[in-house]
Amino acid sequence: MNQVATNVRWHHATIGPEERARRLGQRGVVVWLTGLSGAGKSTIAARVDALLHARGHHSYILDGDNLRFGLCRDLGFSPEDRAENVRRLGEAARLLQDAGLIVLVAAISPYREDRARVRERLPPGGFLEVFVDAPLAVCESRDPKGLYRRARAGEIAGFSGIDAPYEPPEAPDLRLTLVPHAPGGAPSSAAASLAATPAGATATSTSPTIDVTADASDGASILRDRSVAAGATADDHAAAIVGLLAARGLLTPPAAT
Ligand SMILES: Nc1ncnc2c1ncn2[C@@H]1O[C@H](COP(=O)(O)OS(=O)(=O)O)[C@@H](OP(=O)(O)O)[C@H]1O
Ligand SMILES: Nc1ncnc2c1ncn2[C@@H]1O[C@H](COP(=O)(O)OP(=O)(O)O)[C@@H](O)[C@H]1O
């Protein structure tokens, strides 16, 4: 019963990405938010979704937590299960992207290799990796679901960042940080970021920055300047993502040929 299907073939549709982009006034893309638990992936994805909706765009969120109630409910948190989880999220995202949607994926997706495989399944420019780079100390101080406390108490094994790995992206399309920059100098340490955050407060009380590591030729440098001035609430982070989508020409229909 567990045989892989061989007698299948691909059926081509007559309506392709260009027609869908013209109809929807946008190009399908997967915005993949990766980062530790509590980094802000779900919060930021929801803000981006709302911003896009308000502007008449068509987006949809695939949240790792939520998909584990259905499509991925048979999976746990072993490296193998996480790989399969990310693969399924990637395949679901790919279908929605192909339908022309702006797909916002929020999943820890801790392994570089798993994320790279998703990128390979998408057309060039169809996958934007966004690193929600809140340091472990900040995530742990937020602990929105009490999971870090339970992991530290030994009640949850294999928790990302505690006793399971998290591999940060090496060249993300966008990196959202909360680490304050010393005036005119290099970023100060993550520990300083936490130290500047009063207990019970969020790290937004620091003077954060958004670092855009994308190619400056596509407008990323403009984003960087604006973001530094704006600070880094979840709304600023969401605006940076929308800015990146605009800079990549994904929020306008293709020019008529
Ligand atoms: N062991 C362990 N490690 C990490 N996270 C855990 C674990 N057990 C449960 N949770 C909760 O599951 C959410 C992560 O699910 P994901 O599908 O995003 O994980 S992964 O991409 O497959 O690594 C994660 O959600 P977020 O906090 O939204 O990231 C946690 O709420
Ligand atoms: N700049 C920020 N961006 C996103 N979340 C933030 C920010 N500052 C504080 N937070 C808070 O941090 C928590 C992040 O939780 P969540 O979005 O569930 O993270 P994740 O999905 O990465 O696990 C929320 O309680 C959110 O209000």
Side-chain angles (χ1 to χ4, degrees), residues 152-186:
R152 290 287 187 198
E155 293 169 19
I156 304 174
F159 199 79
S160 305
I162 305 291
D163 58 348
Y166 177 77
E167 299 173 356
E170 282 167 338
D173 295 273
L174 186 65
R175 186 166 75 98
L176 306 174
T177 80
L178 295 166
V179 181
H181 279 55

Side-chain angles (χ1 to χ4, degrees), residues 18-62:
E18 293 301 305
E19 288 81 9
R20 294 188 201 284
R22 266 192 285 279
R23 173 64 53 86
L24 294 171
Q26 64 182 45
R27 283 191 177 277
V29 63
V30 174
V31 179
W32 191 280
L33 293 102
T34 173
L36 291 169
S37 176
K41 305 179 297 294
S42 304
T43 304
I44 295 166
R47 305 283 169 93
V48 175
D49 196 34
L51 271 180
L52 290 172
H53 186 78
R55 292 180 187 196
H57 290 292
H58 309 268
S59 51
Y60 195 73
I61 298 175
L62 296 179

Side-chain angles (χ1 to χ4, degrees), residues 37-38 41-42 64-65 68 77 82 85-86 107-110 145 147 156-160:
S37 176
K41 305 179 297 294
S42 304
D65 258 331
R68 284 175 175 276
F77 290 92
R82 289 183 199 250
N85 185 50
V86 167
I108 298 176
S109 44
K145 302 170 201 160
L147 296 177
I156 304 174
F159 199 79
S160 305

